[in-house]
Amino acid sequence: MVSDVLMSIRPAYAEAILDGSKTVELRRKRPSFARGSRVLVYSSSPSQRVNGTFEVGRILADAPEALWPLVAERAGIDRERFDAYFRGCSTAYAIEVENPRRIEPCRLAIRPPQSYLFLRSRERRHRGLLRLARA
């Protein structure tokens, strides 16, 4: 099922996604959204702004040592940081970023998610974010 998702990403990585130099977003837990979902990028502290969107491509999953060769040139981090991030994980995940685009930066009117939050049109507090994602 295609969803709209608000995702917290550290500012340097959010910027790299939006400038096209980072084409996979790494996660320690399997995302529960599917290919084609729309992600609204929330650049976490100190930026604390929604500043872009992207569409989800494939979600790659493998042992960290097997995933690294697939994402090394696309993840926006070096091997040392990759290994540190996935230390203790048996499975690593990489969300392929498609069609990244910038939007006019804006603050959130809701509490930012730790990882990600599904946006629902029936939730009044999500409607403004949904408009941004779909614009």
Side-chain angles (χ1 to χ4, degrees):
M1 181 175 141
V2 175
S3 304
D4 290 298
V5 178
L6 175 66
M7 183 179 288
S8 290
I9 302 174
R10 290 185 178 169
Y13 302 134
E15 180 59 31
I17 284 171
L18 297 174
D19 75 16
S21 63
K22 178 177 167 60
T23 59
V24 293
E25 172 60 11
L26 302 172
R27 293 290 156 145
R28 294 172 53 96
K29 294 185 180 173
R30 175 179 277 290
S32 55
F33 46 84
R35 183 179 197 145
S37 293
R38 194 173 14 239
V39 173
L40 200 56
V41 176
Y42 172 74
S43 182
S44 62
S45 187
S47 177
Q48 298 180 324
R49 300 263 194 276
V50 175
N51 59 356
T53 68
F54 68 85
E55 294 170 21
V56 174
R58 295 179 303 160
I59 298 175
L60 309 174
D62 213 328
E65 57 276 0
L67 187 66
W68 173 250
L70 303 175
V71 302
E73 299 299 317
R74 308 185 311 153
I77 62 172
D78 60 24
R79 181 65 190 258
E80 185 178 344
R81 283 192 175 127
F82 179 90
D83 288 344
Y85 181 65
F86 288 114
R87 187 167 291 120
C89 292
S90 58
T91 305
Y93 301 94
I95 303 163
E96 289 187 329
V97 172
E98 297 180 347
N99 304 315
R101 70 178 178 88
R102 293 182 188 281
I103 61 172
E104 185 67 33
C106 65
R107 288 209 177 267
L108 282 180
I110 62 173
R111 183 183 177 127
Q114 182 71 27
S115 182
Y116 63 88
L117 168 74
F118 285 99
L119 298 172
R120 310 276 187 224
S121 59
R122 69 178 178 269
E123 296 270 344
R124 195 179 55 143
R125 60 194 182 112
H126 293 179
R127 290 183 192 144
L129 290 169
L130 286 166
R131 281 191 295 277
L132 285 174
R134 295 174 182 163

